[in-house]
């Protein structure tokens, strides 16, 4: 994975994390950090100095490898106890984004999608209708969260849920919504004008 690819993945929106550049005393934001790195690499590339641009990308890759190895060590140690800090780490959106970025997250996609929905369930209830691992398409069914039901509120709820899913499960490429209470159309009945004639019937 190249430096640009890793920073692009890290730039996925983070649910529940204030947007903008991290400052002293605030929690680092994966989206803002990823976009800053991309911006710096783009500015270097526009200068036309290929050696400087290549060196910058190499530097990013080295740092990614370094803290990725550190994350792997952390997950190894917290996984050796009964529970310890592991549950809290997996609920942390920033830690989750880093673990997924380095393919270190111990939970599969379905579990992380469920964790994402749980993180916003009090305000925006949603249930999984279907997830296609081959295409990355996730179909969700909106639940009753007690809202007014107006389109603007529904859109905001959908955006909040999708942002959480992007954070916990970036392998989800798109989210499709089903109408609450919708039932599948009944199967079409094929009615024959006459019963089929059995073999050997005179």
């Amino acid at each position: 994975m190249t430096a640009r690819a890793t920073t692009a993945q890290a730039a996925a929106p983070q649910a529940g994390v204030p947007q903008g550049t991290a400052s002293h005393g605030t929690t680092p934001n994966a989206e803002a950090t990823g976009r800053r790195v991309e911006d710096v690499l783009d500015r270097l590339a526009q200068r036309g100095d290929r050696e400087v641009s290549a060196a910058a990308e190499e530097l990013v890759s080295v740092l990614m490898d370094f803290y990725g190895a550190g994350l792997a060590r952390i997950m190894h140690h917290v996984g050796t106890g009964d529970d310890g800090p592991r549950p809290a780490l997996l609920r942390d959106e920033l830690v989750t984004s880093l673990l997924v970025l380095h393919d270190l997250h111990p939970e599969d996609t379905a579990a992380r999608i469920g964790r994402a929905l749980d993180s916003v369930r009090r305000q925006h209830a949603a249930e999984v209708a279907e997830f296609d691992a081959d295409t990355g398409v996730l179909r969700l069914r909106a639940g009753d969260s007690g809202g007014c039901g107006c389109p603007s509120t529904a859109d905001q709820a959908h955006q909040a849920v999708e942002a959480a899913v992007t954070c916990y499960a970036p392998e989800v490429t798109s989210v499709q919504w089903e109408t609450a209470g919708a039932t599948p159309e009944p199967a079409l009945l094929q009615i024959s004008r006459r019963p089929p004639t059995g073999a050997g019937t005179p």
Side-chain angles (χ1 to χ4, degrees):
M1 186 178 289
T2 66
R4 288 183 180 274
T6 53
T7 52
Q9 188 173 350
Q14 305 297 299
V17 180
Q19 303 302 304
T21 303
S23 60
H24 181 69
T26 62
T27 302
N29 182 295
E31 178 185 8
T33 301
R35 295 191 186 282
R36 282 191 70 188
V37 172
E38 280 289 294
D39 181 61
V40 171
L41 293 176
D42 286 341
R43 294 206 310 267
L44 289 173
Q46 291 172 3
R47 290 177 176 270
D49 192 329
R50 294 184 178 180
E51 291 186 3
V52 172
S53 181
E57 293 212 27
E58 182 181 357
L59 174 61
V60 174
S61 296
V62 170
L63 292 176
M64 293 287 291
D65 291 341
F66 178 72
Y67 77 73
L71 284 172
R73 183 69 62 86
I74 290 173
M75 292 307 297
H76 170 73
H77 287 307
V78 300
T80 55
D82 294 336
D83 286 321
R86 183 186 181 96
L89 285 172
L90 298 184
R91 287 194 300 268
D92 187 284
E93 296 176 356
L94 179 60
V95 173
T96 292
S97 64
L98 293 174
L99 292 176
V100 174
L101 179 64
H102 289 279
D103 295 326
L104 295 171
H105 205 288
E107 295 179 337
D108 61 15
T109 304
R112 286 184 281 108
I113 291 174
R115 191 179 290 278
L117 299 182
D118 287 342
S119 71
V120 295
R121 194 176 302 281
R122 289 185 178 180
Q123 293 80 23
H124 313 294
E127 301 293 339
V128 175
E130 183 183 12
F131 174 62
D132 189 335
D134 294 331
T135 63
V137 176
L138 173 65
R139 289 199 299 112
L140 295 176
R141 185 178 299 111
D144 183 9
S145 57
C148 65
C150 57
S152 60
T153 302
D155 289 342
Q156 292 173 358
H158 289 181
Q159 290 174 6
V161 173
E162 291 169 14
V165 170
T166 299
C167 172
Y168 284 93
E171 58 267 55
V172 174
T173 58
S174 65
V175 177
Q176 300 176 356
W177 289 88
E178 292 185 354
T179 303
T183 56
E185 295 183 1
L188 179 64
L189 294 177
Q190 299 292 339
I191 302 177
S192 175
R193 292 182 178 275
R194 61 181 181 181
T197 302
T201 302

